[in-house]
Every structure is written in structure tokens, then in C-alpha cells.
């Protein structure tokens, strides 16, 4: 089924682009030569070179067909082993959509109810958890904090030991009050899957998801097992590449433990979209933003992050090992990026946006836009003032209550470290598509993109604006392949 092309030494990008695997009759051959450099290859190589990514695999699905599956760089730096599209990566939190899908399968069978307290299924939950439902765990609208965070990498942690430890934790807030990423909520969901299905988590995924969809190289992690074609994981330590050291053995890794390839993930994406695993009704529940107790929403569904990109719907999840899957349903497009550089600022999602922009101009991210004539200098000056106040440690005026509520703990706050804004250059403004768009519980009418120049360098920022010009949300972007700031 697969045709393999090995790039020759005379190819100008042979140092990075190792192999291209093509689906018969579905994937065109993308050249990479001095006279005809493929723009996607050039973009990815620029990102790899700037951010020192050891290895990367990419798949693109368009209207249910795999139209691109390629690999770049090394799966193992010490052994000089190249990545291929069949290389097996640790997905980390990209596991969560699998766990959510398994829960929804049990919901459809009547074995789990989304709004039932988790104590309905798990014996031994403390009384303080009474209000925590399955839906809360799926949508990260319930969170608990450990009193200590000690961990022994040499120890094997059983499910019983993990559960006993978590039952000592306290709720961070009333369930449904706000959104806060709670990683081990998905461990508890894994326990519910095992209890209600009568199968081990790994067996349920293998029999109900992996095998029916032809995901032949996908498994659930067991640190004692040898996995063919598994890539080595790396991170940045003291400015240099180092081993990532994710070796803790956890019996039930339902929050982080799926190992897979870009080819298998593409098969999974097609199976999801074609309703082979769960119904359209279940998918819509998974892909609808959670509603908080105050009536507002947060852009996370049941196992999926739900953001817009340039005003277009985006359904996605990322993993701390440098992995990402992003679906753009309006365009019928999915981009899957798996790297072996983790524990650093997330770049895989941004790289996927850049690839998406090569397939559809409507999805070109801010750092790939050219400067245009500013149609509203007054608005630009207002937004510059917003960033200046933020960088000065002053709460900016002109923002919505939804943004004000999440700002103190949001990653967006990173722009406050960049002092001395010298210029804010207009790039583009996108009109909100028909049907409207909500951001952090507030309707927005315009999405504007800018390039920011500071005394420390350059970055990009997108603002979501209400009809009365308040900031409903904003997001900084790095110049992944260029000379901008690298935070």
C-alpha cells in the first residue's frame, strides 16, 4: 500500500527531509530540489532548524483522504536513526481525546451517564467530591490539587495506589465554577472505563478503537515493553538537547499513555469524522464548548480544545512531548504533527497552523501574513495601549469580564514580559463568519492580527474584539521560522 521515496544526497534538503510515504492514488509526490522546493518542506525545515527539533512526522488529511505523510530528522540522535511516517511517538495528552471517545462509547451503550457523580462508578471517593460529574472531568471544570508532588521514577504505580493518593486531594473550586486543566481527571475517567466496560483500559482501546480502524502500530504505553520503531524523546536543558526522562511506570496511563504514528492518527481522524466510532450526536457533544456555572463558556469540549483560527472552527489537542492534532472542519482539513522535542513551549500546534495555511489561504497564521495598510489607526493605537498597560503590570482597560477572569492564570500573560513596545503594525482583520463566534463567553465581531516590535525583538498577536471594540481575548504568536522572539 505504501510507496517509499528516500531523498538523495544531492537534494538541498536531504539533511532534514528523510522520507516521504505516499498513499497509492491519494498522495501526490512533493518534490524537494534546488529548482523546485516544496513550500511545506521549506517551512517545516525552517522551524526544525530554528528550534532544534530532532525529528518530526507530519500527516495531512483532506476530505477523508490522507494527502500527505512525511518525516524529517532523527528518531534517535545517538543511533542516527531517521524518523519515518511509521515511527511511533508518545502522544502525551493527545491521549485525552481517545479516553473521551471511549467514555462516549460507554455513554451510547447506557453504561455511563455524563451528569452522574463519579462516585456512582468509583467506590471510595470522598464526600467532598460528591458534586464532581463525569462531564466535569471530561471538560476540566473540576480540579483537585495534591498536597505533595513527590514522584519516584524507579517505582511502579498501581491504579489502587494512584487512586488512594488522589482521594487525599482537595477540590480547587466548586465543580463547574471555572475551567482548569486537571490532568489526572483523565486517570479517573480511565478507572470509570475499566469499571463500566469490564476491560482493562488498554484492552478496551485496542479492541474498540485501534483494531477496528486499522491502527496497527498504536498501543498504550508500558514502560517495560519494547516497542518497534519507537522514537526517543528529547527536551531542552541548560540550552542544549537532553533526554526527556519520562519513564515513570503508571498502571493506568489514560491521561497520557497512547503511542502512535501519524499514519495511524490519520486513520483515526477519518474514522471519527465518518462516525465509525461514535455517533454524530456524541461528536457534537465532544466538540461543543463547556458551559460554566455562571452561564459563560470556555473553549474546551469533552476531550478536545475548541478554538477558532482566523475565525474558522478548530478542534484540536496538544501533548507535552511535542505532539498535536488539529481539525478544521469547515475546510475538511486535519493536520497532525508529531515531534520528539517536549517539555518546552508548545510549538507543534503553531507549526500545524502554518502547514494548514499552505493548504488553505484562509488559514494562514499571523506570522506568515504581510503588512497591509491600516484601515483603522485609532483601533491600532487603542490595542497598543492595551499591550503597554499589560507590560507595565497594570490591568488593561477595555477588556471583557471573561478575559479579566482568566487572565491572571493564562499563558497569554507571557506578553507582559516584553517591555518597550516600539510599534504595532496591522496585518489583517477577519470578519466573524455567519453564525457568529464566541470567545470566553462573549460574542466577537472582528479578529485582528498585528506584528509587535519591542526592544527585545518581534512577535505577533491576534485580538478578538467585540462590537463595541472591547478585547474579548488575545493570543501572542511566535515567528516560528523567522527571526522573531523565541520564548
Amino acid at each position: 500500500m505504501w510507496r517509499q521515496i528516500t531523498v538523495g544526497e544531492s537534494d538541498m534538503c536531504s539533511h532534514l527531509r528523510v522520507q516521504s510515504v505516499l498513499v497509492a492514488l491519494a498522495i501526490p509526490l512533493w518534490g524537494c530540489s534546488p529548482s523546485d522546493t516544496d513550500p511545506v518542506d521549506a517551512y517545516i525545515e525552517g522551524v526544525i532548524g530554528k528550534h532544534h527539533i530532532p525529528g518530526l512526522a507530519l500527516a495531512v488529511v483532506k476530505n477523508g483522504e490522507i494527502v500527505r505523510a512525511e518525516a524529517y530528522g532523527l528518531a534517535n540522535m545517538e543511533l542516527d536513526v531517521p524518523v519515518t511516517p511509521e515511527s511511533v511517538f508518545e502522544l502525551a495528552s493527545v491521549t485525552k481525546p481517545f479516553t473521551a471517545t471511549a467514555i462516549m462509547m460507554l455513554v451510547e451503550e447506557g453504561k455511563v451517564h455524563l451528569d452522574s457523580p463519579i462516585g456512582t462508578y468509583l467506590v471510595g471517593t470522598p464526600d467532598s467530591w460528591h458534586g464532581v460529574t463525569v462531564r466535569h472531568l471530561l471538560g476540566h471544570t473540576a480540579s483537585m490539587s495534591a498536597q505533595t508532588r513527590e514522584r519516584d521514577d524507579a517505582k511502579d504505580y498501581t491504579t489502587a495506589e494512584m487512586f488512594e493518593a488522589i482521594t487525599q486531594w482537595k477540590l480547587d473550586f466548586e465543580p463547574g465554577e471555572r475551567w482548569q486543566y486537571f490532568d489526572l481527571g483523565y486517570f479517573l475517567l480511565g478507572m470509570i472505563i475499566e469499571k463500566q466496560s469490564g476491560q482493562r483500559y488498554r484492552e478496551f482501546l485496542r479492541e474498540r478503537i485501534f483494531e477496528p480502524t486499522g491502527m496497527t502500530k498504536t498501543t498504550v504505553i508500558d514502560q517495560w515493553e519494547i516497542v518497534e520503531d519507537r522514537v526517543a524523546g528529547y527536551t531542552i536543558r541548560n540550552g542544549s538537547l537532553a533526554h526527556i526522562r519520562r519513564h515513570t511506570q503508571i498502571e493506568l496511563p489514560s491521561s497520557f499513555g497512547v503511542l502512535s504514528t501519524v499514519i495511524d492518527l490519520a486513520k483515526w481522524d477519518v474514522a471519527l469524522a465518518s462516525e465509525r466510532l461514535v455517533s454524530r450526536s456524541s461528536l457534537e457533544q465532544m466538540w461543543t464548548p463547556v458551559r460554566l456555572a455562571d452561564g459563560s463558556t470556555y473553549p474546551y469540549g469533552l476531550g478536545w480544545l475548541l478554538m477558532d483560527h482566523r475565525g474558522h472552527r478548530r478542534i484540536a489537542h496538544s501533548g507535552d512531548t511535542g505532539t498535536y492534532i488539529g481539525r478544521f472542519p469547515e475546510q475538511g482539513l486535519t493536520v497532525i504533527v508529531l515531534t520528539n522535542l517536549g517539555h518546552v513551549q508548545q510549538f507543534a500546534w503553531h507549526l500545524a497552523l502554518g502547514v494548514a495555511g499552505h493548504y488553505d489561504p484562509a488559514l494562514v497564521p499571523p506570522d506568515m501574513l504581510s503588512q497591509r495598510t491600516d484601515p483603522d489607526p485609532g483601533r491600532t493605537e487603542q490595542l497598543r495601549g492595551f499591550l503597554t498597560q499589560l507590560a507595565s503590570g497594570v490591568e488593561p482597560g477595555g477588556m471583557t469580564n471573561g478575559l479579566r477572569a482568566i487572565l491572571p492564570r493564562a499563558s497569554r500573560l507571557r506578553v507582559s514580559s516584553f517591555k518597550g513596545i516600539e510599534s504595532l503594525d496591522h496585518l489583517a482583520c477577519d470578519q466573524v463568519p455567519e453564525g457568529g463566534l464566541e470567545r470566553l463567553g462573549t460574542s466577537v465581531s472582528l479578529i485582528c492580527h498585528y506584528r509587535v516590535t519591542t526592544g527585545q525583538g518581534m512577535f505577533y498577536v491576534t485580538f478578538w474584539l467585540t462590537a463595541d471594540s472591547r478585547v474579548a481575548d488575545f493570543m501572542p504568536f511566535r515567528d516560528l521560522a523567522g527571526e522573531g522572539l523565541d520564548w
Side-chain angles (χ1 to χ4, degrees):
M1 181 179 181
W2 304 103
R3 183 161 62 94
Q4 179 170 302
I5 288 89
T6 302
V7 179
E9 289 300 319
S10 61
D11 195 320
M12 69 177 291
C13 55
S14 62
H15 64 295
L16 287 174
R17 184 182 179 199
V18 181
Q19 291 177 316
S20 175
V21 174
L22 311 175
V23 180
L25 303 179
I27 302 181
L29 175 60
W30 295 84
C32 186
S33 65
S35 59
D36 183 25
T37 301
D38 175 49
V40 174
D41 284 329
Y43 173 70
I44 290 177
E45 289 164 18
V47 176
I48 286 175
K50 180 178 179 181
H51 298 282
H52 311 292
I53 302 169
L56 182 152
L58 167 72
V60 178
V61 180
K62 180 70 173 175
N63 296 327
E65 292 188 335
I66 305 173
V67 297
R68 192 182 194 104
E70 299 194 54
Y72 309 77
L74 296 176
N76 188 299
M77 297 178 67
E78 292 163 309
L79 300 178
D80 200 35
V81 175
V83 178
T84 79
E86 296 283 2
S87 293
V88 177
F89 291 77
E90 182 180 345
L91 300 188
S93 284
V94 178
T95 295
K96 289 179 173 64
F98 284 96
T99 299
T101 300
I103 287 287
M104 296 307 292
M105 287 177 162
L106 295 174
V107 168
E108 291 186 353
E109 295 168 9
K111 296 178 179 179
V112 172
H113 298 281
L114 290 177
D115 295 311
S116 291
I118 60 175
T120 305
Y121 310 109
L122 303 178
V123 176
T125 57
D127 292 342
S128 61
W129 292 12
H130 177 71
V132 179
T133 66
V134 174
R135 187 187 300 274
H136 287 139
L137 294 185
L138 283 169
H140 297 292
T141 54
S143 178
M144 307 159 198
S145 292
Q147 305 308 301
T148 62
R149 296 187 181 275
E150 296 178 0
R151 188 183 74 182
D152 183 355
D153 283 342
K155 179 178 173 56
D156 291 0
Y157 288 91
T158 67
T159 299
E161 288 172 327
M162 292 279 292
F163 182 63
E164 172 62 24
I166 296 173
T167 58
Q168 309 306 309
W169 297 4
K170 296 180 180 179
L171 290 174
D172 295 325
F173 48 84
E174 287 298 311
E177 180 182 339
R178 58 186 171 90
W179 187 92
Q180 182 170 297
Y181 194 77
F182 176 39
D183 193 58
L184 287 181
Y186 273 72
F187 165 79
L188 297 174
L189 290 169
M191 290 186 67
I192 293 173
I193 291 168
E194 294 196 337
K195 173 69 164 49
Q196 297 307 108
S197 71
Q199 291 181 284
R200 298 292 299 275
Y201 173 80
R202 64 185 68 249
E203 293 169 356
F204 185 95
L205 262 59
R206 176 173 54 82
E207 294 182 12
R208 299 289 301 274
I209 298 178
F210 303 157
E211 290 181 352
T213 53
M215 300 172 69
T216 57
K217 300 199 68 173
T218 303
T219 59
V220 174
I221 195 170
D222 181 334
Q223 300 290 8
W224 294 103
E225 289 183 352
I226 296 173
V227 177
E228 184 180 359
D229 295 328
R230 183 176 175 182
V231 304
Y234 302 94
T235 189
I236 302 294
R237 183 171 183 266
N238 298 326
S240 300
L241 283 169
H243 288 289
I244 199 168
R245 294 190 63 184
R246 290 172 59 100
H247 304 305
T248 305
Q249 172 71 352
I250 295 175
E251 182 182 4
L252 179 55
S254 49
S255 66
F256 70 92
V258 171
L259 304 174
S260 193
T261 71
V262 290
I263 298 298
D264 277 5
L265 288 178
K267 294 176 182 178
W268 179 57
D269 175 74
V270 172
L272 272 182
S274 60
E275 304 173 42
R276 288 170 52 195
L277 298 175
V278 292
S279 67
R280 175 56 50 180
S281 173
S282 291
L283 289 175
E284 287 306 317
Q285 289 189 74
M286 296 168 73
W287 296 341
T288 297
V290 295
R291 191 161 295 278
L292 305 179
D294 64 2
S296 65
T297 61
Y298 191 87
Y300 194 95
L302 306 182
W304 291 90
L305 182 67
L306 307 173
M307 307 287 279
D308 68 280
H309 175 57
R310 302 284 312 271
H312 299 278
R313 194 178 181 198
R314 173 164 56 109
I315 302 166
H317 216 293
S318 60
D320 193 42
T321 47
T323 57
Y324 181 85
I325 178 170
R327 309 186 78 255
F328 304 88
E330 296 166 21
Q331 288 77 21
L333 182 68
T334 296
V335 180
I336 301 161
V337 174
L338 302 181
T339 80
N340 55 356
L341 181 64
H343 291 353
V344 297
Q345 286 289 348
Q346 293 291 340
F347 57 83
W349 67 272
H350 191 173
L351 196 153
L353 296 184
V355 172
H358 282 90
Y359 281 85
D360 191 317
L363 300 176
V364 171
D367 57 306
M368 294 169 61
L369 293 172
S370 300
Q371 184 174 348
R372 302 178 186 178
T373 301
D374 191 342
D376 192 338
R379 178 176 58 216
T380 300
E381 190 59 31
Q382 171 196 340
L383 295 175
R384 176 174 176 171
F386 180 94
L387 293 178
T388 299
Q389 287 178 302
L390 197 65
S392 301
V394 177
E395 181 180 288
M399 63 177 164
T400 63
N401 290 334
L403 176 57
R404 182 179 291 107
I406 66 100
L407 190 57
R409 57 185 182 276
S411 61
R412 301 155 180 77
L413 199 59
R414 70 168 70 96
V415 301
S416 65
S417 63
F418 302 128
K419 311 294 184 182
I421 295 177
E422 297 173 358
S423 66
L424 186 67
D425 300 316
H426 170 82
L427 300 174
C429 282
D430 302 318
Q431 296 292 330
V432 170
E434 185 177 352
L437 179 67
E438 189 176 280
R439 194 80 177 192
L440 298 177
T442 303
S443 294
V444 300
S445 61
L446 199 63
I447 306 165
C448 292
H449 314 278
Y450 294 86
R451 181 174 61 238
V452 184
T453 303
T454 76
Q456 297 157 279
M458 180 182 65
F459 65 97
Y460 297 80
V461 64
T462 291
F463 292 95
W464 287 261
L465 304 174
T466 64
D468 58 358
S469 298
R470 289 177 299 150
V471 178
D473 200 2
F474 69 101
M475 184 69 69
F477 285 80
R478 292 182 290 177
D479 181 7
L480 271 197
E483 298 303 320
L485 280 165
D486 183 11
W487 61 73

